[in-house]
């Protein structure tokens, strides 16, 4: 299984591109959660898109891509850090019945209130620094179009995406027109023509073709007549950043009343990470400790460690 992200540039054309494929990371992501096929496809496409956009950013931190839906799918989240480590999850409405043919609009924008949110959360925040967040309506009939529209609005960059996913693999391609290089009118025309030509080649890609061929084959089929500069391939991977500390933090945010009433009802709290399925248990002592500890770290010793 290969998980690869390949960057390339068209020589003398002012167009850059990336191809990505993920099998191992995508399957690890699905190993603890089962989604209806229509949701699986969308989440897989979002994952490919997140890797493509992250690899394109000069940014040290985590990109969080979220869709807040108003239909049977309530939330889809994909996170990708600057080392191309990804995790993803989706939350469906309790009563959701999802047919295979349902579209993006059916799933998350049924009443026109769906939102697409991109957050850039830097690793080393300066004091008082906020994460950057961009929110746009879900205008578009596919994940690719929604992101293209977002890029056009927020970055004023011509960007085109082609995405495809099934239960085994997710693949994607990004093409982007570089900011203007040429000064003269004829250079500008040449650049526009090179961009249009690259997009036209990209538009010949069919979903089936993307699902059934590795990115080296796709690149050759599409661009064999072009002179490409190809960079050292990168390796996206699955990684979940959940920790017992973060779960404890979340419980503290819920507040002591909420946690105590849950303990009274269930005896203890069993929390599973939405992203990786890892289980975190908090018994009454663990929970009490959370709220008496002077510092967060004291309250969340793993089970078995001595508590004072
Ligand atoms: Zn996790």
């Amino acid at each position: 299984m290969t998980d690869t992200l390949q960057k390339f540039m068209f020589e003398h054309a002012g167009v850059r591109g990336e191809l990505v494929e993920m099998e191992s990371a995508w399957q690890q992501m699905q190993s603890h959660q089962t989604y209806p096929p229509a949701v699986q496809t969308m989440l897989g496409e979002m994952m490919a898109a997140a890797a493509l956009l992250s690899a394109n950013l000069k940014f040290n931190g985590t990109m969080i891509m979220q869709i807040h839906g108003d239909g049977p799918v309530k939330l889809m989240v994909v996170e990708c850090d600057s080392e191309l480590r990804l995790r993803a999850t989706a939350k469906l409405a309790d009563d959701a019945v999802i047919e295979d043919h349902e579209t993006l609009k059916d799933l998350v924008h049924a009443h026109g209130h769906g939102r697409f949110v991109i957050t850039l959360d830097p690793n080393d925040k300066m004091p008082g620094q906020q994460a950057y967040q961009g929110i746009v309506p879900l205008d578009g009939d596919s994940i690719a179009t929604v992101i293209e529209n977002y890029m056009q609005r927020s970055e004023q960059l011509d960007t085109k995406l082609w995405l495809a996913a099934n239960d085994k693999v997710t693949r994607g391609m990004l093409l982007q027109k570089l900011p203007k290089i040429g000064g003269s009118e004829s250079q500008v025309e040449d650049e526009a023509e090179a961009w249009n030509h690259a997009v036209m080649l990209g538009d010949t890609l069919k979903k089936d073709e993307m699902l059934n061929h590795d990115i080296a084959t796709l690149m050759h089929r599409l661009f064999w007549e072009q002179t490409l500069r190809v960079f050292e391939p990168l390796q996206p991977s699955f990684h979940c950043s959940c920790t017992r500390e973060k779960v404890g933090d979340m419980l503290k945010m819920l507040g002591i009343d909420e946690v105590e009433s849950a303990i009274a009802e269930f005896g203890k709290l069993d929390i599973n990470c939405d992203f990786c399925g890892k289980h975190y248990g908090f018994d009454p002592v663990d929970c009490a400790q959370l709220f008496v500890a002077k510092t967060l770290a004291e309250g969340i010793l793993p089970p078995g460690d001595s508590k004072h």
Side-chain angles (χ1 to χ4, degrees):
M1 289 199 281
T2 51
D3 288 5
T4 308
L5 189 141
Q6 179 69 64
K7 293 189 187 190
F8 56 91
M9 272 187 83
F10 289 61
E11 293 285 11
H12 322 296
V15 178
R16 69 176 157 207
E18 293 171 37
L19 277 154
V20 68
E21 64 192 335
M22 287 178 276
E23 288 185 37
S24 171
W26 178 222
Q27 287 177 30
Q28 282 179 65
M29 197 111 36
Q30 299 175 84
S31 60
H32 73 284
Q33 43 196 359
T34 316
Y35 300 117
V39 177
Q40 191 177 53
T41 303
M42 268 208 313
L43 196 63
E45 292 189 358
M46 251 174 102
M47 210 172 109
L52 291 167
L53 290 194
S54 292
N56 214 3
L57 288 174
K58 289 188 178 56
F59 163 72
N60 187 15
T62 301
M63 186 181 81
I64 304 152
M65 208 182 253
Q66 289 169 306
I67 287 181
H68 296 271
D70 65 355
V73 178
K74 293 299 165 204
L75 180 68
M76 294 204 296
V77 188
V78 177
E79 298 184 7
C80 182
D81 69 14
S82 5
E83 292 161 55
L84 292 182
R85 300 184 304 175
L86 296 109
R87 62 178 194 167
T89 189
K91 272 197 175 55
L92 311 190
D94 292 338
D95 55 352
V97 180
I98 295 170
E99 314 267 354
D100 292 359
H101 58 78
E102 290 193 45
T103 63
L104 182 77
K105 192 170 186 304
D106 298 332
L107 296 179
V108 292
H109 201 44
H111 308 288
H113 302 304
R115 282 174 300 130
F116 175 71
V117 183
I118 285 192
T119 308
L120 297 180
D121 191 15
N123 282 343
D124 307 306
K125 279 201 267 300
M126 310 294 272
Q129 189 186 356
Q130 299 279 317
Y132 160 85
Q133 196 165 65
I135 305 176
V136 294
L138 275 172
D139 49 355
D141 52 9
S142 67
I143 297 287
T145 337
V146 168
I147 296 172
E148 286 165 6
N149 292 344
Y150 171 83
M151 292 298 285
Q152 186 64 47
R153 272 191 221 183
S154 70
E155 316 280 322
Q156 277 95 47
L157 283 175
D158 283 317
T159 307
K160 289 289 287 179
L161 283 162
W162 294 266
L163 306 167
N166 58 19
D167 58 333
K168 300 275 184 307
V169 67
T170 173
R171 291 199 178 89
M173 181 170 79
L174 172 147
L175 292 178
Q176 194 166 65
K177 188 171 187 286
L178 293 172
K180 192 162 83 78
I181 309 169
S184 74
E185 209 169 297
S186 73
Q187 277 172 313
V188 171
E189 268 176 33
D190 286 351
E191 281 167 24
E193 197 182 306
W195 167 247
N196 291 336
H197 185 62
V199 170
M200 190 197 76
L201 293 173
D203 278 338
T204 64
L205 264 185
K206 301 281 175 289
K207 294 242 180 199
D208 267 0
E209 191 183 8
M210 291 183 77
L211 292 174
N212 293 314
H213 297 91
D214 61 34
I215 56 173
T217 308
L218 295 176
M219 188 189 286
H220 179 73
R221 281 192 184 182
L222 289 172
F223 305 126
W224 63 278
E225 282 186 312
Q226 315 294 313
T227 315
L228 295 184
R229 195 192 316 165
V230 176
F231 299 89
E232 198 57 35
L234 304 171
Q235 272 197 316
S237 62
F238 172 75
H239 170 75
C240 189
S241 53
C242 69
T243 59
R244 191 169 173 83
E245 283 78 0
K246 288 183 188 169
V247 176
D249 217 353
M250 186 267 295
L251 290 176
K252 287 187 80 161
M253 292 206 354
L254 282 178
I256 192 159
D257 294 346
E258 191 93 0
V259 169
E260 276 180 351
S261 81
I263 285 282
E265 190 175 352
F266 303 109
K268 68 186 187 90
L269 300 184
D270 290 302
I271 295 150
N272 293 321
C273 173
D274 287 336
F275 291 96
C276 70
K278 190 169 174 189
H279 173 259
Y280 295 96
F282 285 77
D283 64 19
V285 179
D286 296 326
C287 288
Q289 196 88 24
L290 278 178
F291 293 99
V292 298
K294 282 193 285 304
T295 65
L296 186 59
E298 280 176 37
I300 40 184
L301 293 169
D305 284 24
S306 62
K307 295 183 181 116
H308 309 283

